[in-house]
Amino acid sequence: TILQSLEELMNGQIDSWLVESVKDKLIMNFELSKESNLSYGMMLAQAYGNDMTVEEYENYIELIKQITKDDVVTVAKKYLDAPYLAFQSLIGEPKKDKLPKPKYKPIVPAVGQTSTFAKQWLEEKVEVPPFKPIDFNNDFSKGELAPGVTIFHTENPESNIFSLTLKYGAGSSKIPGLDFSVNLMNRAGIMALYTPYELKKEFSKLGCTVNFYNDRSYTYVTLRGKEANLLRACKLLSNTYLMPSMDEKQINSLIGNQMGSRMMESKNKDIQSQALNEYLKYGENSRYLNRLTNSEVLGLTVSKLAAIFIEATKFETSVHYTGKLSYDEVKNVLTKSLAFPANLKHSSSPVSTPTTEYAENTILLLNNKNARQGDVYIFIPGDEYQLEQRPVIDAFNQYFGGGFNGLVLQELRELRSFAYTASANYNTPPVPNRKSMFTGYIGTQGDKTIDAIREFLNLINNMPQYPERMVNIKDFLNQATVTSSPTKRQLTQVVENRIQAGYTEDPRIKLVEGYNATSFEDVLDFYNQEFKNKPIAIAIVVNKKLIDKKQIKTLGKVVNVSSGKIFKY
């Protein structure tokens, strides 16, 4: 029980290895965070908020190393020795107030004018670091680890922490049930060697962490930890997925959680919104309609789940390493410690799900009587994507949906107060010659739903034209592009994705040239080609009582959708 565990902690009944493991993890997370400019900046901001100097914050690792088991016990006694523990569970729905639609007048910005404060910022000279493109020939090493297995290597002499990612070329779209299998692999032990708890203990003793996860296209295994323990950690990992020991209780827990979650789907607005949006874009190809049925979930067994994961490892694989060891040293260690199946299957990943075509403006309407907010999704199928379109697409996205600088938030939220939040983006596939799509979202008060949709459609059909914004858009795209270098631990996976997309060099080189050559007329031409006179599909989750039935029919053909249509059971 919780109380018993707290009592044991306060009495010092904890293993010393566990304390050391926690310290190792804190140190590793600190060092990894420093490798990202964003994370490091946030860490320094937090230090400033806590009245710490940079020097004091940089001493964090030494402070962690000095912590002892006795220190942990002392803190536990001070803060956890409470007289009781209270747990309260409430069932039911809170009483809801009806909020009338306020009659706000539009706030019209001062178009074409610049404040004194803005002028000061615009005139401030900023030193931009020189652009350093990724060199596909020299910034990393690449070779064959085994037939069908490609190894990518990046040397990082500044850290004693290695990162290793195994990326198998099949995901949940290829192998149904993989989500369950990967989830359980994170709780697995090694047959005849370690229970799940004992295996975590062994990895902790090595100062390493392992994680299994997947998406629709790939299955991943990540291993991080102390460089000196790479070989032993890899051998332990290899045994984990060659001989996984899965606990029947854990499977029952996994199945129980899934079935409980599915029971709530017909009431949970957020999940309904996600599923309806999937159905809007992909129809019968929605992931909520291609998942395992309830009976298939209930029929999952240890052997089935183990076999599902093993199936994912039988596809073409890439291995990504970052650390202190040289390419030859790493290849030697991994050859000794990792096993790969023979005759690996060809990978068709990354996958692209076929989208739905619409002959006329169509509205998919799902009623949720408890919804106070209307969730609205907009979808327009696009044409096949070509790499040379990238500059104008980026410029359009920044102009139309670029945060608070884009038309969507400015017109729908700032000017007319129709949205809690709103967004829009022209989405491109991971590789060329596959279909693009335009997607939009607006979250609004239920009784504002129709007005909000009408204004959103007006933006799409009659996009306002502000050619003077192109100067700032091009400047933003240029700076964002040249400063968006991946970290050393991200480098090879980013490069692999770009190679798959058809690039033979860092695409940012041509993108900068493309941005500089893109005009507002190019953006307008793209908009007219991709949006004018195309049917628009809309998905809405809302309380029907809050919307005018006659008004919604003026926006398009209305199709009432039930939860049974968008969820597979």
Side-chain angles (χ1 to χ4, degrees):
T1 65
I2 295 177
L3 289 176
Q4 183 180 351
S5 297
L6 291 176
E7 193 67 31
E8 290 174 355
L9 178 59
M10 289 185 287
N11 290 333
Q13 295 173 267
I14 51 174
D15 293 331
S16 296
W17 70 265
L18 183 58
V19 176
E20 294 305 312
S21 171
V22 171
K23 289 165 61 177
D24 286 341
K25 192 169 184 178
L26 289 171
I27 291 172
M28 181 171 68
N29 289 340
F30 181 81
E31 291 190 350
L32 292 175
S33 294
K34 287 180 64 177
E35 294 178 4
S36 162
N37 288 338
L38 176 61
S39 297
Y40 193 36
M42 294 178 68
M43 290 163 63
L44 293 176
Q46 184 181 31
Y48 176 79
N50 292 327
D51 291 328
M52 295 176 64
T53 65
V54 174
E55 291 74 21
E56 288 173 327
Y57 202 69
E58 289 291 342
N59 198 40
Y60 176 83
I61 291 177
E62 293 303 317
L63 295 175
I64 293 295
K65 287 180 178 179
Q66 294 171 18
I67 295 174
T68 66
K69 174 181 171 180
D70 290 339
D71 294 329
V72 174
V73 172
T74 299
V75 171
K77 287 180 178 179
K78 181 177 180 179
Y79 294 105
L80 302 179
D81 191 12
Y84 62 88
L85 176 70
F87 177 79
Q88 186 179 22
S89 177
L90 300 177
I91 299 176
E93 296 287 337
K95 186 178 179 181
K96 298 175 181 177
D97 299 323
K98 184 176 180 180
L99 300 175
K101 180 168 61 174
K103 297 181 180 180
Y104 292 135
K105 293 182 179 180
I107 302 174
V108 182
V111 179
Q113 300 181 36
T114 306
S115 68
T116 304
F117 180 74
K119 286 180 180 178
Q120 180 180 345
W121 275 98
L122 292 172
E123 292 171 358
E124 186 76 24
K125 291 185 178 180
V126 179
E127 184 178 347
V128 180
F131 174 42
K132 186 179 183 302
I134 300 170
D135 187 333
F136 280 23
N137 296 315
N138 298 309
D139 285 352
F140 61 93
S141 301
K142 178 186 174 187
E144 185 180 73
L145 188 59
V149 182
T150 304
I151 179 173
F152 292 85
H153 169 274
T154 308
E155 198 163 340
N156 182 22
E158 300 172 2
S159 174
N160 291 313
I161 298 171
F162 73 86
S163 296
L164 183 71
T165 299
L166 309 180
K167 182 181 176 184
Y168 299 104
S172 57
S173 66
K174 185 78 173 179
I175 308 175
L178 187 60
D179 295 342
F180 294 93
S181 181
V182 165
N183 191 318
L184 205 59
M185 284 299 297
N186 283 309
R187 315 180 191 187
I190 298 177
M191 199 176 296
L193 291 176
Y194 301 111
T195 65
Y197 173 77
E198 290 170 342
L199 180 59
K200 287 186 180 295
K201 179 178 176 180
E202 291 302 310
F203 275 117
S204 294
K205 286 181 177 179
L206 294 174
C208 297
T209 61
V210 63
N211 185 36
F212 297 79
Y213 60 101
N214 71 285
D215 54 31
R216 294 173 73 109
S217 297
Y218 298 100
T219 302
Y220 305 85
V221 183
T222 61
L223 181 65
R224 284 181 172 176
K226 294 180 176 179
E227 190 78 65
N229 295 330
L230 174 64
L231 177 61
R232 286 188 290 169
C234 284
K235 287 181 176 179
L236 201 58
L237 173 63
S238 186
N239 285 332
T240 302
Y241 59 78
L242 289 176
M243 301 184 297
S245 171
M246 300 179 178
D247 193 323
E248 200 71 44
K249 291 182 179 179
Q250 292 176 330
I251 293 180
N252 292 336
S253 173
L254 186 67
I255 292 173
N257 289 338
Q258 177 63 205
M259 299 305 293
S261 175
R262 291 188 179 191
M263 288 176 64
M264 299 299 296
E265 286 175 344
S266 62
K267 297 180 180 179
N268 188 302
K269 182 179 73 71
D270 292 338
I271 299 178
Q272 286 179 330
S273 295
Q274 293 170 18
L276 187 62
N277 185 32
E278 278 270 316
Y279 186 75
L280 175 77
K281 295 183 290 187
Y282 307 118
E284 296 301 319
N285 294 311
S286 163
R287 60 190 173 96
Y288 290 93
L289 294 175
N290 284 274
R291 65 187 184 180
L292 299 182
T293 64
N294 287 354
S295 60
E296 288 172 328
V297 172
L298 292 171
L300 291 174
T301 63
V302 169
S303 58
K304 285 182 180 179
L305 289 171
I308 286 172
F309 180 78
I310 293 299
E311 179 63 22
T313 68
K314 294 180 180 179
F315 286 80
E316 289 175 322
T317 303
S318 60
V319 178
H320 300 262
Y321 165 89
T322 303
K324 278 191 172 182
L325 299 182
S326 68
Y327 173 81
D328 290 334
E329 289 173 322
V330 171
K331 188 173 181 180
N332 181 49
V333 169
L334 300 185
T335 301
K336 290 179 180 178
S337 58
L338 295 180
F340 298 96
N343 303 315
L344 293 177
K345 301 176 185 179
H346 170 70
S347 171
S348 57
S349 295
V351 299
S352 293
T353 307
T355 54
T356 303
E357 297 292 331
Y358 293 89
E360 59 182 314
N361 282 11
T362 304
I363 297 173
L364 305 183
L365 180 61
L366 191 149
N367 180 45
N368 185 314
K369 64 180 181 180
N370 295 317
R372 304 175 74 181
Q373 174 179 317
D375 280 348
V376 179
Y377 296 88
I378 294 176
F379 167 66
I380 304 174
D383 297 326
E384 288 189 356
Y385 168 62
Q386 304 301 324
L387 294 179
E388 57 269 21
Q389 292 179 296
R390 182 84 262 162
V392 71
I393 289 175
D394 289 346
F396 169 80
N397 280 335
Q398 186 62 22
Y399 178 75
F400 194 81
F404 284 99
N405 290 319
L407 293 176
V408 169
L409 267 181
Q410 287 183 348
E411 297 286 332
L412 299 180
R413 174 174 160 163
E414 302 304 300
L415 183 60
R416 294 178 175 84
S417 299
F418 278 145
Y420 297 128
T421 184
S423 60
N425 197 62
Y426 191 87
N427 304 278
T428 58
V431 294
N433 302 316
R434 297 184 188 179
K435 288 292 187 72
S436 302
M437 68 174 76
F438 173 83
T439 59
Y441 169 77
I442 184 168
T444 185
Q445 193 170 303
D447 56 356
K448 288 185 180 181
T449 301
I450 303 300
D451 293 336
I453 294 174
R454 184 173 284 113
E455 288 299 331
F456 208 141
L457 295 183
N458 186 49
L459 277 182
I460 295 173
N461 292 320
N462 304 286
M463 185 178 75
Q465 298 181 25
Y466 304 112
E468 67 275 8
R469 296 186 179 183
M470 278 302 292
V471 174
N472 287 336
I473 288 173
K474 292 164 73 168
D475 184 56
F476 169 82
L477 291 174
N478 276 320
Q479 291 196 36
T481 299
V482 301
T483 58
S484 62
S485 298
T487 66
K488 288 185 177 180
R489 297 183 194 275
Q490 300 167 334
L491 176 66
T492 56
Q493 292 195 58
V494 169
V495 169
E496 183 184 30
N497 292 340
R498 291 173 178 171
I499 291 173
Q500 286 177 332
Y503 293 106
T504 56
E505 64 176 4
D506 191 335
R508 295 179 299 168
I509 298 171
K510 292 289 178 61
L511 279 178
V512 170
E513 297 174 3
Y515 295 147
N516 290 331
T518 299
S519 66
F520 189 72
E521 286 70 27
D522 295 325
V523 173
L524 282 181
D525 288 343
F526 173 79
Y527 160 73
N528 288 322
Q529 177 183 333
E530 294 296 326
F531 292 87
K532 282 295 185 181
N533 303 317
K534 282 193 174 183
I536 300 174
I538 304 168
I540 309 172
V541 179
V542 71
N543 183 348
K544 282 186 181 181
K545 292 181 179 180
L546 299 176
I547 60 175
D548 188 312
K549 294 179 181 179
K550 292 182 179 180
Q551 288 293 317
I552 194 172
K553 289 181 180 179
T554 65
L555 303 176
K557 181 181 73 173
V558 179
V559 179
N560 289 292
V561 179
S562 65
S563 289
K565 185 73 174 176
I566 58 177
F567 293 108
K568 178 181 179 181
Y569 296 111

